[in-house]
Amino acid sequence: QVQLVESGGGLVQAGGSLRLSCAASGTIFSINAMDWYRQAPGKQRELVAYTTRGGSTNYADSVKGRFTISRDNAKNTVYLQMNSLKPEDTAVYYCYVMVGGTGYWGQGTQVTVSS
């Protein structure tokens, strides 16, 4: 079993920054992809960014140039550095981690960007 603990959400003004963290623990032999999703009220959950074990990354067009995903394989942790935040970034952010062939979701952390 794998547990994911997220932290780092909060309230910030437009133009500000936040850093999200997601730490995995439990029975972990190898973590493959580590992703960040978000879900705004009334909208579907969407992929924000992902990173592979080898360090490749990809981003949604809406966050390119503002968000940076990174991971520390030794700590089984993935981060999302969010800069130049906009009100439309307001959402619950979830990490998603593939351990072997099984996916696990974090509990979600609220990010609210005020204008």
Side-chain angles (χ1 to χ4, degrees):
Q1 190 72 344
V2 174
Q3 297 79 41
L4 302 178
V5 177
E6 299 181 28
S7 61
L11 173 64
V12 65
Q13 289 188 333
S17 298
L18 286 173
R19 189 192 194 209
L20 306 183
S21 299
C22 173
S25 61
T27 305
I28 299 173
F29 296 104
S30 177
I31 296 179
N32 301 319
M34 303 183 84
D35 310 340
W36 286 99
Y37 285 77
R38 68 186 180 187
Q39 187 166 19
K43 295 188 177 182
Q44 289 188 329
R45 192 172 296 189
E46 62 173 353
L47 178 64
V48 175
Y50 72 78
T51 178
T52 66
R53 182 167 182 82
S56 299
T57 60
N58 203 358
Y59 299 90
D61 288 342
S62 59
V63 307
K64 281 182 181 176
R66 300 188 297 120
F67 291 10
T68 302
I69 188 171
S70 60
R71 62 192 285 172
D72 184 332
N73 290 329
K75 296 181 179 179
N76 292 329
T77 300
V78 62
Y79 306 96
L80 187 68
Q81 178 66 44
M82 305 184 294
N83 298 329
S84 302
L85 283 160
K86 303 176 182 180
E88 51 263 44
D89 294 319
T90 295
V92 178
Y93 284 71
Y94 299 89
C95 62
Y96 179 78
V97 171
M98 287 291 295
V99 180
T102 303
Y104 299 88
W105 288 98
Q107 82 280 9
T109 185
Q110 177 70 46
V111 171
T112 302
V113 184
S114 63
S115 57

